[in-house]
Amino acid sequence: MKKLDEIMELMADEMADFKTAVLELQKLSKQLVSMSIPISTDALENNLGIFLKKQEAEKEITDEILKEIDRKLKRARIIPNYLLILFGILGILALGLVGYFGYTANEKLEESFSVYGAMMEMKSQNTQYEDYFAAYPEVQEEYCKWLEDGYQGL
């Protein structure tokens, strides 16, 4: 019997707790009914419209930025202007040096040909003198004496 009393007592406590919970739920239910939240899409549409306007403004800003980047990329060069100027100056200088050295080489070649021609002429004259002296040995002796006398007199 004691156990039955304990069980009854526990059940009474549980019933009291359940009753207070039910009363609390009734009170909250009455508050919910009195609040009357209108179910409408106007607020959502308004918020969505504001959000879409902000998105459109951000899209226009990014479009302007991308257009500016595109303009800069179209004007951009792989090689900067100062390097182009430097290569142009170096090219002109190299072309001038090649022309100068080509001209001087040509002049030296012509000079060497003229020297070679003069040497050949002198050699032909020497062979003429040698042929003459071979034909007239007495003239050669007199010529040699004349050369010796002429150098001593100087």
Side-chain angles (χ1 to χ4, degrees):
M1 211 42 164
K2 236 177 184 191
K3 283 194 182 192
L4 208 62
D5 285 338
E6 282 180 23
I7 291 175
M8 292 295 276
E9 208 175 293
L10 280 172
M11 276 179 65
D13 285 342
E14 289 294 323
M15 293 282 274
D17 288 342
F18 181 73
K19 187 176 181 180
T20 55
V22 168
L23 288 174
E24 184 72 28
L25 280 174
Q26 284 177 349
K27 184 178 158 185
L28 289 173
S29 174
K30 284 180 187 176
Q31 282 180 351
L32 185 63
V33 169
S34 68
M35 284 176 90
S36 126
I37 299 173
I39 300 175
S40 124
T41 59
D42 291 338
L44 287 175
E45 287 175 1
N46 188 21
N47 286 336
L48 183 61
I50 292 170
F51 175 74
L52 289 176
K53 286 179 184 176
K54 286 181 182 177
Q55 285 295 99
E56 187 67 29
E58 287 180 15
K59 183 179 179 260
E60 288 176 8
I61 291 171
T62 54
D63 285 345
E64 286 298 318
I65 291 171
L66 289 175
K67 284 179 184 176
E68 184 65 28
I69 289 172
D70 190 39
R71 273 186 247 129
K72 287 182 180 179
L73 284 176
K74 284 180 181 176
R75 288 185 294 164
R77 293 185 183 171
I78 293 174
I79 301 173
N81 287 340
Y82 69 90
L83 280 179
L84 289 175
I85 292 169
L86 182 66
F87 282 130
I89 290 170
L90 289 176
I92 291 170
L93 185 63
L95 187 63
L97 288 174
V98 166
Y100 172 74
F101 288 128
Y103 176 74
T104 56
N106 191 22
E107 287 292 317
K108 290 204 184 261
L109 185 64
E110 287 177 9
E111 185 180 313
S112 67
F113 279 137
S114 65
V115 168
Y116 178 74
M119 287 179 59
M120 293 310 269
E121 188 178 313
M122 287 176 59
K123 189 173 184 181
S124 68
Q125 284 179 353
N126 280 345
T127 55
Q128 288 175 358
Y129 290 139
E130 287 174 4
D131 291 342
Y132 181 75
F133 288 146
Y136 303 103
E138 64 276 354
V139 174
Q140 183 181 6
E141 289 174 11
E142 289 178 19
Y143 178 71
C144 287
K145 280 184 186 180
W146 176 77
L147 282 177
E148 288 175 9
D149 292 339
Y151 284 124
Q152 289 176 359
L154 291 176

